[in-house]
């Protein structure tokens, strides 16, 4: 039987996820949708040609008897209440990042899930599902590099909208590195510092761009991440792990090399949606498959909490200019069997 899915928030990512559930993935169907802008939900149902009920509000959708699982794709500040309501209703819930806008909010979700007694929550961190990052992790865990010592990363976007301000470089952008590097190194962060180089002329007064985030992990690995969101040339994700015995780099996305007019060149992606397209498919298929066997294995509410704790520390580091300690409590045994 197909997993019957309800989608809360039919904006950009909600529509993409509803489309992949309906047209690309197997084992699930979208039976319910909602958004504060009901017209966008109605349009989605029409565009996809699906037989889904448009609910007036997310809580009604969660309560609906024929909804087995919920995708929370609404605006970040609404995530916590919907995820808590889904746990309360005993329903599986896939929540786009952030799990909640504060670490305290994420912790409330962790506590509610533990009290429920069974994993119901998967957080929409898709990079651990990316084939390139998986290959990189295989190399790191194989031990062929020796112990990892340093990681050099870059997260570059061609441009961002006017409403994007300095803290968003952490909360919206770096948060993906905060999640994936924890997973890649199987480690937790202990401190963060943010350094501001000269600002690009392509930025505006409320956005310091680029930024360099320096992280230290519990095992002593040093990480530097350049976040540069008006780099102009493309959407470019770099990750290089330096170990005792060698270096491993995240593979570049496929692109054809051309030789023409005295130049040898390759394209670089410009649209972030295309960079992790396959990873979005794999993460949602994993959620659906996990529901079928009643065992989720993707990023946990604890991972959402950990990213949020680190993100809060990085924002403090932006504001203070200091090295900010990151205090991550020990992982509850509930989240050990991943
Ligand atoms: P978006 O296009 O603005 O869509 C969000 C939608 O949710 C909008 O239609 C919004 O309506 C609606 N909404 C707001 N409050 C709601 C509520 N209480 N109940 C139901 N619907 C509500 O934003 P987006 O780009 O899709 O992002 C949505 C979430 O996904 C964000 O948390 C974002 O960080 C995350 N995201 C993750 C990735 C990733 O790579 N994993 C990528 C993109 C986005 P209005 O527009 O009328 O407010």
């Amino acid at each position: 039987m197909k997993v019957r899915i309800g989608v809360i928030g039919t904006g950009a990512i909600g529509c993409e996820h509803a489309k992949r559930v309906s047209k690309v993935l197997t084992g699930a169907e979208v039976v319910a949708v909602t958004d504060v802008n009901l017209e966008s939900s109605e349009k989605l149902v029409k565009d996809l040609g699906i037989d889904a009920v448009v609910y007036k509000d997310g809580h009604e959708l969660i309560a609906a008897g024929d909804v087995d699982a919920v995708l929370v794709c609404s605006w970040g500040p609404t995530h916590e209440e919907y995820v808590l309501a889904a746990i309360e209703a005993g329903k599986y819930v896939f929540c786009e990042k952030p799990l909640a806008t504060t670490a305290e909010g994420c912790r409330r979700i962790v506590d509610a899930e533990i009290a429920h007694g069974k994993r119901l929550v998967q957080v929409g961190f898709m990079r651990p599902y990316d084939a390139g990052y998986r290959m990189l992790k295989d190399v790191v865990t194989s031990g062929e590099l020796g112990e990892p010592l340093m990681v050099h990363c870059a997260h570059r976007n061609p441009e961002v909208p006017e409403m994007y301000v300095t803290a968003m470089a952490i909360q919206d952008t770096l948060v993906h590195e905060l999640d994936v590097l924890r997973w890649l190194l199987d480690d937790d962060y202990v401190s963060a510092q943010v350094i501001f180089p000269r600002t690009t002329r392509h930025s505006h007064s409320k956005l310091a761009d680029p930024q360099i985030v320096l992280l230290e992990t519990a095992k002593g690995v040093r990480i530097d991440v350049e976040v540069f969101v008006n780099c102009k040339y493309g959407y470019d994700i770099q990750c290089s792990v330096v170990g005792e015995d060698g270096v491993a780099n995240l593979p570049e996305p496929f692109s054809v090399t051309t030789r023409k007019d005295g130049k040898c060149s390759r394209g670089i992606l410009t649209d972030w949606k295309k960079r992790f397209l396959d990873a979005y498919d794999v993460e949602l298929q994993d959620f659906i498959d996990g529901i079928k066997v009643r065992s989720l294995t993707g990023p946990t509410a604890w991972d959402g909490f950990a990213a949020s704790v680190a993100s809060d520390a990085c924002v403090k580091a932006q504001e203070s200019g200091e090295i900010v300690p990151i205090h991550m409590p020990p992982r509850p045994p509930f989240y050990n069997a991943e």
Side-chain angles (χ1 to χ4, degrees):
M1 212 175 90
K2 287 190 169 180
V3 176
R4 298 166 300 178
I5 286 185
V7 180
I8 300 178
T10 49
I13 198 99
C15 286
E16 294 282 329
H17 284 338
K19 189 170 157 197
R20 58 173 52 88
V21 168
S22 308
K23 309 283 181 200
V24 181
L25 309 182
T26 57
E29 60 185 329
V30 175
V31 298
V33 290
T34 186
D35 194 287
V36 280
N37 172 8
L38 285 179
E39 279 170 19
S40 78
S41 293
E42 281 154 9
K43 181 172 181 317
L44 176 68
V45 169
K46 198 166 156 232
D47 289 351
L48 293 179
I50 55 174
D51 189 17
V53 178
V54 177
Y55 284 89
K56 286 205 183 69
D57 131 308
H59 291 283
E60 271 183 37
L61 177 146
I62 292 166
D66 66 346
V67 168
D68 303 316
V70 181
L71 306 188
V72 177
C73 305
S74 46
W75 192 43
T78 64
H79 291 185
E80 182 184 344
E81 72 168 276
Y82 290 137
V83 174
L84 287 173
I87 294 171
E88 175 83 29
K91 296 194 177 179
Y92 290 100
V93 53
F94 174 95
C95 180
E96 263 309 335
K97 59 91 187 159
L99 178 59
T101 51
T102 61
E104 294 75 29
C106 293
R107 187 72 213 215
R108 282 190 283 276
I109 290 172
V110 161
D111 291 344
E113 189 177 38
I114 292 174
H116 176 78
K118 176 168 147 329
R119 262 202 74 187
L120 292 175
V121 181
Q122 179 170 326
V123 182
F125 286 129
M126 73 295 181
R127 286 202 194 174
Y129 289 100
D130 173 66
Y133 273 110
R134 286 187 168 205
M135 283 189 255
L136 186 58
K137 181 162 171 93
D138 284 347
V139 172
V140 171
T141 50
S142 74
E144 68 182 271
L145 299 180
E147 291 297 331
L149 307 173
M150 296 176 279
V151 184
H152 307 298
C153 302
H155 189 146
R156 303 193 188 111
N157 294 53
E159 59 193 9
V160 287
E162 275 294 308
M163 41 74 73
Y164 187 108
V165 294
T166 296
M168 291 170 79
I170 305 295
Q171 292 156 337
D172 276 32
T173 302
L174 180 81
V175 70
H176 286 293
E177 270 77 18
L178 291 175
D179 174 65
V180 81
L181 297 177
R182 237 186 109 244
W183 166 84
L184 183 68
L185 299 170
D186 190 22
D187 208 347
D188 270 314
Y189 307 114
V190 294
S191 76
Q193 184 182 10
V194 180
I195 291 168
F196 297 102
R198 181 179 176 183
T199 291
T200 169
R201 73 178 194 283
H202 299 297
S203 191
H204 57 80
S205 61
K206 295 196 171 127
L207 172 61
D209 185 41
Q211 305 179 22
I212 300 169
V213 182
L214 302 174
L215 297 158
E216 184 185 3
T217 74
K219 293 177 192 163
V221 178
R222 292 289 184 156
I223 300 168
D224 55 273
V225 186
E226 171 203 311
V227 179
F228 186 13
V229 293
N230 286 290
C231 81
K232 292 293 157 192
Y233 72 86
Y235 182 69
D236 195 7
I237 302 299
Q238 301 287 329
C239 179
S240 177
V241 180
V242 181
E244 295 168 297
D245 301 317
V247 176
N249 291 327
L250 181 70
E252 294 281 344
F254 288 127
S255 73
V256 172
T257 307
T258 55
R259 288 173 158 76
K260 191 173 176 239
D261 298 334
K263 280 188 196 144
C264 174
S265 58
R266 292 179 49 216
I268 294 178
L269 290 174
T270 52
D271 182 353
W272 61 265
K273 284 193 202 110
K274 292 193 178 150
R275 175 63 179 83
F276 292 107
L277 199 60
D278 294 342
Y280 289 121
D281 288 348
V282 183
E283 70 166 354
L284 263 191
Q285 188 66 63
D286 190 44
F287 177 65
I288 293 163
D289 295 345
I291 293 172
K292 291 198 156 187
V293 297
R294 303 196 167 276
S295 173
L296 298 185
T297 55
T300 63
W302 186 256
D303 295 325
F305 170 66
S308 185
V309 168
S311 167
D312 288 355
C314 291
V315 172
K316 264 194 205 148
Q318 281 182 324
E319 289 160 358
S320 68
E322 305 286 321
I323 298 173
V324 174
I326 301 177
H327 301 291
M328 189 62 198
R331 181 166 58 184
F334 180 86
Y335 292 104
N336 281 347
E338 284 173 26

